[in-house]
Amino acid sequence: MNEYLQQLSAAARHAVSKNNWAMVNTCATEILAKDPASPEGHFLAGLVAKTSNRPEEAVAAFSRTLELDANRYDAAIELAYQHSAARRNGDAAALVSRYEDTLTNSPVYLNMAGSVYSQVGMPERAWAMFEKANRLQPGVDMIEANLASCGVFLGKIDEAKEIYERLLERNPAHQRNHLTYARLAKAKDRQHIERMKEVLRGANNTPDKNIFMYYAIGKELEDLEEWDEAFEYFKKAGDAVASVARYDIDTDLELIDKAIEVCTADWLQAGAVTPDTSLTSRTPIFIVGLPRTGTTLTDRIIASHSKVQSVGETQFMQMVLRRESAIDSDEKITPAMIEACAKLDIGVIGKGYLDMLNYRLGDEPFFVDKLPFNILYLGFICKAFPNARIIRMKRNPMDSCFSMYKQVFTDIYQFSYDLEELGNYYIAHQKLLEHWQNALPGKIHVVQYEALVEDPEPVIRALLEYCDLPWQEQCLAFQQNRQASTTASASQVREGIYTSSVGMWKNYREQLD
């Protein structure tokens, strides 16, 4: 690079540090005008495209950078980040893995690499990246928060707790950190509650800006058995989410009705062919139901078996249905997509799912996908994978619904923030369950949550027998399983089986009447 191009590059880098993207764009354009084969010019153009939310241009620019200079680890990690955002998880993981050893002196790209690993469901690989970044540049809130969050997924609860305490000392108003910290252990006094209330009083935010804090305060009040005040904060939180969610429950109810309409018993039997051996070389185990019904607990139990690997909660079945439907929509899944996919060769659906998942699979002959929402796609799952095991979690409906109501989710379970909508969704969900039980006779193994926690061994033995897995004692001691857990129950599943949540709703009988 000649001296003039070096000056342009230096100016662009300074502009990046100031978030002056117009200047970065000017420099990138001039560099490429002088030298169309400049890796630096394409890289800077990629940064501009990324910041301007033009992902296709960003991918093209970072890819071109690597074509011109394969040693540009910055372009590789930026490209991996774009792949993970587009749910090209396998491509993202492969890129980070290829360049991981070159990330020796860059806290920024070590942190980004860790974020990619976390996003694609590989927190055990993310931990080392975040640790290195933190050692190189200690005291950076974002890096420490990523390290702490990853620690929770890996069961490093004490380490995570220490980090969150430091973070909250430096930034007492960080609401998400307060919520994660509250989830790490049972509150023993009101000290943290009063700190959070003080933050709320000082901030004077609108309710939709206090959602995480409301949930955190409600959780700790419940720990202290202060039921009335706990419900007050849970309701504040749910109302605040609902006020900004732009959610219409009819959208979810129409999805359920469409799945029932097109995935009939006749459809499940029609077009049956000899299964592709690539779809039967491993046995998938899908754990479905509603969230907060014991799906994570059951996943941990089964994945403690030496023949089983957990891949956590993937959305790959929904993603492949969306892609193969060829329907363009802003929605993640629509009734039209389900209807279109019901007319496709089911082998395409099954192969697409496994192709997306392949980067996660080890040598174990069984794997568990525990996304509760996969219950909507059981017809496609069972038709694509005739050897699949389906485990449906069942829990007392009041405990099930109220446990969802107390939890902040992503946008996948938007029905859970309003009690009336939650009740209506539960009824529709039951209708869907009855449909699958009738359309798939003998295929679905039901696990009653209350029976599992009150007398685990016989329930676990029956569960393993259904999966054609021999008994192994470690399935009873699942809390010793060191595999990562990335769900809202990540800290609870390290505690072993407990019964304290059975009948919890009764403490709120008046409010739930």
Side-chain angles (χ1 to χ4, degrees):
M1 187 185 296
N2 65 37
E3 185 177 349
Y4 177 60
L5 295 185
Q6 287 178 340
Q7 290 173 351
L8 285 173
S9 174
R13 295 300 178 135
H14 179 72
V16 168
S17 70
K18 301 296 183 182
N19 289 322
N20 184 352
W21 296 106
M23 175 60 75
V24 178
N25 186 51
T26 298
C27 294
T29 301
E30 191 161 352
I31 290 172
L32 291 173
K34 298 288 185 183
D35 181 6
S38 165
E40 177 73 352
H42 288 286
F43 177 76
L44 292 171
L47 292 182
V48 173
K50 168 189 169 183
T51 308
S52 304
N53 196 27
R54 301 195 304 269
E56 292 181 2
E57 291 181 32
V59 166
F62 294 135
S63 297
R64 181 63 177 147
T65 305
L66 288 174
E67 289 173 9
L68 295 166
D69 184 354
N71 294 319
R72 289 292 296 256
Y73 66 80
D74 50 356
I77 303 305
E78 291 282 3
L79 181 58
Y81 195 86
Q82 292 297 315
H83 285 336
S84 70
R87 299 292 183 139
R88 292 174 55 182
N89 290 10
D91 292 336
L95 258 180
V96 177
S97 180
R98 192 181 315 150
Y99 284 86
E100 190 175 309
D101 290 342
T102 68
L103 302 175
T104 55
N105 295 309
S106 174
V108 170
Y109 284 107
L110 280 164
N111 184 63
M112 187 179 286
S115 297
V116 171
Y117 273 142
S118 291
Q119 289 164 7
V120 303
M122 302 171 72
E124 63 286 344
R125 299 283 294 271
W127 176 259
M129 302 291 96
F130 292 138
E131 267 200 320
K132 285 182 186 177
N134 190 54
R135 283 199 302 270
L136 285 172
Q137 195 171 1
V140 177
D141 283 7
M142 180 174 65
I143 296 174
E144 286 198 2
N146 285 338
L147 182 64
S149 177
C150 189
V152 175
F153 297 153
L154 296 174
K156 301 176 185 289
I157 305 302
D158 290 340
E159 292 175 61
K161 190 174 181 181
E162 288 181 11
I163 296 171
Y164 280 116
E165 286 170 351
R166 289 200 302 271
L167 289 168
L168 290 171
E169 188 69 29
R170 293 203 297 262
N171 184 0
H174 198 294
Q175 295 202 15
R176 189 184 286 269
N177 285 348
H178 277 291
L179 176 58
T180 308
Y181 181 75
R183 286 173 170 171
L184 294 181
K186 192 169 183 175
K188 295 180 173 60
D189 54 49
R190 292 184 63 100
Q191 184 177 350
H192 186 215
I193 294 170
E194 297 307 324
R195 284 173 59 199
M196 290 188 284
K197 286 185 174 183
E198 184 178 347
V199 171
L200 290 180
R201 286 190 293 269
N204 197 28
N205 290 327
T206 55
D208 60 288
K209 299 294 191 297
N210 292 330
I211 290 167
F212 295 118
M213 202 76 96
Y214 290 153
Y215 279 114
I217 293 173
K219 186 268 179 190
E220 293 204 356
L221 286 166
E222 184 174 84
D223 289 343
L224 300 174
E225 300 184 0
E226 298 186 24
W227 314 116
D228 290 346
E229 192 179 2
F231 187 86
E232 175 189 337
Y233 277 91
F234 290 140
K235 188 173 189 308
K236 282 182 178 181
D239 289 349
V241 177
S243 72
V244 295
R246 299 181 185 175
Y247 171 67
D248 181 357
I249 192 173
D250 287 340
T251 302
D252 277 332
L253 301 186
E254 288 167 7
L255 280 172
I256 288 175
D257 288 341
K258 182 57 68 174
I260 292 172
E261 177 190 331
V262 302
C263 299
T264 63
D266 289 342
W267 174 82
L268 283 160
Q269 294 299 320
V273 295
T274 302
D276 183 339
T277 55
S278 68
L279 305 185
T280 57
S281 59
R282 287 187 176 89
T283 301
I285 301 171
F286 290 88
I287 302 176
V288 299
L290 284 168
R292 312 300 294 169
T293 55
T295 54
T296 300
L297 172 62
T298 303
D299 172 56
R300 302 296 290 181
I301 290 168
I302 299 174
S304 296
H305 198 285
S306 62
K307 294 186 176 183
V308 182
Q309 174 193 8
S310 174
V311 296
E313 296 185 352
T314 85
Q315 296 187 31
F316 295 150
M317 183 54 65
Q318 176 177 281
M319 288 165 58
V320 75
L321 291 172
R322 175 186 170 83
R323 183 188 70 198
E324 296 302 327
S325 74
I327 293 174
D328 187 24
S329 171
D330 291 335
E331 301 294 325
K332 291 183 177 179
I333 193 75
T334 67
M337 292 175 190
I338 291 175
E339 188 165 25
C341 287
K343 299 172 184 176
L344 299 177
D345 176 359
I346 196 64
V348 173
I349 305 297
K351 185 177 185 304
Y353 172 82
L354 284 183
D355 285 347
M356 289 183 179
L357 186 63
N358 191 53
Y359 77 101
R360 292 286 307 280
L361 296 177
D363 296 328
E364 295 87 349
F366 293 77
F367 69 87
V368 183
D369 185 331
K370 66 155 296 269
L371 182 70
F373 206 62
N374 276 329
I375 194 163
L376 188 65
Y377 314 122
L378 277 192
F380 296 100
I381 287 169
C382 291
K383 195 166 183 177
F385 301 102
N387 64 332
R389 305 294 189 268
I390 309 298
I391 298 164
R392 175 224 163 174
M393 297 305 301
K394 184 178 180 182
R395 187 180 181 188
N396 174 282
M398 292 296 290
D399 274 332
S400 177
C401 288
F402 187 53
S403 186
M404 282 187 282
Y405 184 67
K406 296 184 294 182
Q407 189 66 241
V408 58
F409 295 103
T410 60
D411 58 0
I412 194 171
Y413 305 121
Q414 292 188 69
F415 55 81
S416 66
Y417 301 111
D418 177 90
L419 289 175
E420 185 173 348
E421 289 181 339
L422 185 51
N424 286 329
Y425 188 88
Y426 185 87
I427 292 169
H429 180 83
Q430 290 301 108
K431 182 173 70 171
L432 180 63
L433 283 171
E434 290 171 8
H435 168 73
W436 294 134
Q437 296 283 9
N438 292 329
L440 298 163
K443 181 71 175 175
I444 301 171
H445 181 79
V446 177
V447 173
Q448 183 72 42
Y449 173 79
E450 289 80 6
L452 174 61
V453 299
E454 287 168 9
D455 192 8
E457 184 168 339
V459 177
I460 295 172
R461 284 186 178 275
L463 181 59
L464 295 180
E465 183 178 351
Y466 162 74
C467 293
D468 288 334
L469 289 165
W471 172 256
Q472 290 184 355
E473 287 291 335
Q474 62 258 34
C475 293
L476 265 179
F478 67 90
Q479 68 273 17
Q480 298 173 17
N481 183 344
R482 303 325 304 167
Q483 288 189 44
S485 175
T486 58
T487 72
S489 305
S491 56
Q492 290 99 312
V493 294
R494 310 289 177 180
E495 300 172 12
I497 286 178
Y498 53 88
T499 60
S500 57
S501 61
V502 174
M504 177 68 78
W505 75 271
K506 294 176 183 177
N507 298 300
Y508 303 90
R509 188 185 297 273
E510 182 179 340
Q511 293 93 334
L512 297 174
D513 190 48

